[in-house]
Amino acid sequence: MASAPAPFTVLIPSRMASSRLPNKPLVDIAGLPMVVRVAKRAQESAAQRVVVAADDERIIDACKKHGVQAVMTSPKHPSGSDRLAEACNVLQLGGDDIVVNVQGDEPLIAPALIDAVAALLSDRPEASMGTVAHPIADLESLLSPNVVKVVLDAQGLASYFSRAPIPWGRDFVNMAWWKNPGTTGTPGFAPLHHMGIYSYRAQFLHTFPTLSQAPTEQIEMLEQLRAIWHGHRIAVHVTRQIPGSGVDTPEDLVRVRQLLGAVM
């Protein structure tokens, strides 16, 4: 069982540009801009503070209006990790301070999940990063390139992330092999869906953007593969609870509005 997390800060990178959902951070979800709703959920975790790292004054203004701390970062950052590194400087975080990266389009994020990923770095000093995965439920998800998969070693550290169906059942092509563990001799073993929430130590956030891109990262378009390529370890918290999905499209927005509207 994971221990209680050491003190940590939640950083929410938020950029205005989005090809599929214009002005994405500010779209209304049950009476609040989406980035504010994400921050309010994160404030229910054990985090010492929750800060939005924005690239636009409109995001800053929306956060201030609703009592959410926000800092301005450069609009030219090539990745969310670069944006978080700048935010660590602005906030004067120490190298050993733990940071949890919560995506700005996850208004259904579970506060307990934030605590769990933060606790990973307290429990696993050999890891530079922590993240989350949950068992895949069906064959369609295993085969989908939009569902990122992760394979772990015996210590619960990530061996590899991929958009491909891994591990691949050589003798069980186009079968949900984990649904019938008697056929594989691996009861309780299932493919894992990686969720895009991470914990880091602040010093690693400064180091990460200086690492050269990995060929695996460029092929798969998965930034976390850069860390593995350069020898850093990523600890993974496996949860049986399927986390709420993010808001990437207008259809996602309608679905989340209906879900939150039904419970408020």
Side-chain angles (χ1 to χ4, degrees), residues 59-145:
I59 300 173
I60 298 286
D61 291 343
C63 289
K64 287 182 177 177
K65 179 180 178 181
H66 295 282
V68 172
Q69 184 179 359
V71 296
M72 178 61 71
T73 56
S74 170
K76 298 180 181 180
H77 285 309
S79 73
S81 299
D82 294 275
R83 189 172 312 286
L84 294 183
E86 182 184 354
C88 286
N89 284 334
V90 173
L91 296 170
Q92 298 182 323
L93 296 181
D96 290 331
D97 288 348
I98 293 174
V99 172
V100 175
N101 173 6
V102 173
Q103 297 300 314
D105 57 4
E106 293 280 353
L108 302 178
I109 186 75
L113 203 60
I114 297 173
D115 294 341
V117 75
L120 281 173
L121 295 187
S122 301
D123 295 338
R124 307 301 298 270
E126 74 276 26
S128 299
M129 297 172 58
T131 193
V132 175
H134 67 83
I136 287 176
D138 52 61
L139 182 63
E140 181 181 2
S141 297
L142 179 67
L143 298 178
S144 171

Side-chain angles (χ1 to χ4, degrees), residues 2-230:
S3 62
F8 67 95
T9 296
V10 169
L11 291 181
I12 303 172
S14 183
R15 54 191 294 268
M16 190 63 78
S18 172
S19 58
R20 291 187 288 181
L21 194 59
N23 297 331
K24 182 174 173 178
L26 303 184
V27 295
D28 182 89
I29 296 181
L32 290 175
M34 179 160 62
V35 68
V36 171
R37 186 156 291 285
V38 174
K40 296 292 187 183
R41 290 283 285 186
Q43 287 172 351
E44 296 177 27
S45 74
Q48 284 187 311
R49 58 179 169 177
V50 174
V51 184
V52 173
D55 74 344
D56 191 291
E57 286 289 352
R58 289 171 290 177
I59 300 173
I60 298 286
D61 291 343
C63 289
K64 287 182 177 177
K65 179 180 178 181
H66 295 282
V68 172
Q69 184 179 359
V71 296
M72 178 61 71
T73 56
S74 170
K76 298 180 181 180
H77 285 309
S79 73
S81 299
D82 294 275
R83 189 172 312 286
L84 294 183
E86 182 184 354
C88 286
N89 284 334
V90 173
L91 296 170
Q92 298 182 323
L93 296 181
D96 290 331
D97 288 348
I98 293 174
V99 172
V100 175
N101 173 6
V102 173
Q103 297 300 314
D105 57 4
E106 293 280 353
L108 302 178
I109 186 75
L113 203 60
I114 297 173
D115 294 341
V117 75
L120 281 173
L121 295 187
S122 301
D123 295 338
R124 307 301 298 270
E126 74 276 26
S128 299
M129 297 172 58
T131 193
V132 175
H134 67 83
I136 287 176
D138 52 61
L139 182 63
E140 181 181 2
S141 297
L142 179 67
L143 298 178
S144 171
N146 296 320
V147 174
V148 177
K149 276 70 70 172
V150 59
V151 171
L152 310 186
D153 66 15
Q155 286 72 47
L157 299 168
S159 296
Y160 192 68
F161 296 84
S162 183
R163 298 183 183 279
I166 59 171
W168 178 250
R170 185 196 66 176
D171 298 328
F172 308 100
V173 176
N174 290 329
M175 290 175 56
W177 47 263
W178 64 99
K179 296 290 189 179
N180 186 7
T183 64
T184 64
T186 56
F189 184 76
L192 296 174
H193 179 182
H194 172 240
M195 307 304 297
I197 176 173
Y198 297 98
S199 55
Y200 320 81
R201 295 179 186 86
Q203 182 57 51
F204 180 73
L205 274 173
H206 293 299
T207 300
F208 186 81
T210 71
L211 301 175
S212 60
Q213 280 195 314
T216 50
E217 170 191 3
Q218 293 173 309
I219 292 168
E220 297 258 19
M221 297 302 291
L222 296 173
E223 193 179 56
Q224 65 270 31
L225 288 172
R226 187 187 316 180
I228 292 177
W229 179 264
H230 288 281

